[in-house]
Amino acid sequence: MNSSVAIIVPVYNQERYLEKCIDSILNQTYSDYECILVDDGSTDKSPEICDRYAEKDNRVRVIHKHNEGVSAARKDGYKLASSEYICFLDSDDFLANDFIKLTIEKMIETDVDVCSCGHYQYLDGEVISKTYDFPDIVIDKSQILDEYLLPIIGKIYSEGYKNYPGYIWGKMYKKSLISDECFPSERDFFPEDDLFHLYISPKIQKAAFISDKLVYYRVNEISFTHSYRKDIWRMCKNRHERVAEFFADTNEKKVRERITASGFFSVYVTLRNAYELDDYSKFKDEIIEMLNDSAYKHIIKEIDFGLLRPRQKMMVILLKLKSLWLLYNFRTRLFRN
């Protein structure tokens, strides 16, 4: 099937939400698209749901494969697609009816390579609108670094700095931007989506942002934010090292600041993840492993206090002092719920 747009949906054990996700695709006001569902070795009823939709609508194609993770599933969908434009949607999220129409129209009208839109959070049937707000702008090649990539790969929360989410979804891409290297495994890198943008950025000639919020991101009560994730330091460190390697030949202050912020993010996420163990002894073991890593020692040395919030400064001070007991017991002061 030749279509102008491919929507790729990696699916793993999402029988509870999958129908709403697929229905939101089939209800699009733009009709020239295909939906590629990649069943990543699901063990629930997700495979049957995928096949049922494919049987009744020829716009739906299904890949069944053994489990390799979300990045590999996205990559398989990308390789199957023959369209000029491509986008990704997680199987527990869903789209506004005019997502494709508005993003494609903007891309054609302005001749851009990627178009980003806003999103809502969706929690227990409640729509949460307080999320990232995008301006309605078009940027050219000379602005891609400052206005697209840096706000994703190294978030700085001091006044005057712009930050954008690095989600792979919520965007429409020209397929020509994408290559196999854009899909590093989430089992080795966190967050792996940031690296997708890192790798496509050299090919982007123009990019558009629209203020419309067209994706509904389901807040999962058992998501990473509220559950312990094994090996998170290794994955965050790997991601940071890829970022640093990408900019190895760049000494611009604005870039070095963002690299420093990328390193701080790795430490921040590791610390927050260790709190989820809810046991001081296990927390201590987790953090000591990070403290003994040469990569951590380089990151902590490079952190710029001027770019940190007060709570973040306190966290870094306690880390430098190796005051792990205080770090553990002050966690409600150092991190917002």
Side-chain angles (χ1 to χ4, degrees), residues 156-167:
I156 299 173
Y157 295 97
S158 298
E159 186 175 349
Y161 289 86
K162 180 182 298 182
N163 300 302
Y164 286 146
Y167 310 126

Side-chain angles (χ1 to χ4, degrees), residues 135-158:
D136 285 299
I137 59 171
V138 175
I139 59 176
D140 62 24
K141 182 71 173 178
S142 66
Q143 299 169 291
I144 296 301
L145 180 65
D146 292 345
E147 301 294 325
Y148 183 92
L149 183 58
L150 292 182
I152 289 175
I153 59 95
K155 294 177 177 59
I156 299 173
Y157 295 97
S158 298

Side-chain angles (χ1 to χ4, degrees), residues 146-200:
D146 292 345
E147 301 294 325
Y148 183 92
L149 183 58
L150 292 182
I152 289 175
I153 59 95
K155 294 177 177 59
I156 299 173
Y157 295 97
S158 298
E159 186 175 349
Y161 289 86
K162 180 182 298 182
N163 300 302
Y164 286 146
Y167 310 126
I168 192 174
W169 49 262
K171 296 175 174 61
M172 185 71 70
Y173 310 91
K174 281 188 178 177
K175 190 186 179 190
S176 57
L177 292 179
I178 304 171
S179 61
D180 287 359
E181 74 170 349
C182 295
F183 302 97
S185 174
E186 76 282 0
R187 297 173 182 179
D188 294 317
F189 301 91
F190 181 84
E192 74 285 352
D193 284 6
D194 288 2
L195 298 182
F196 178 93
H197 300 290
L198 193 75
Y199 292 136
I200 68 169

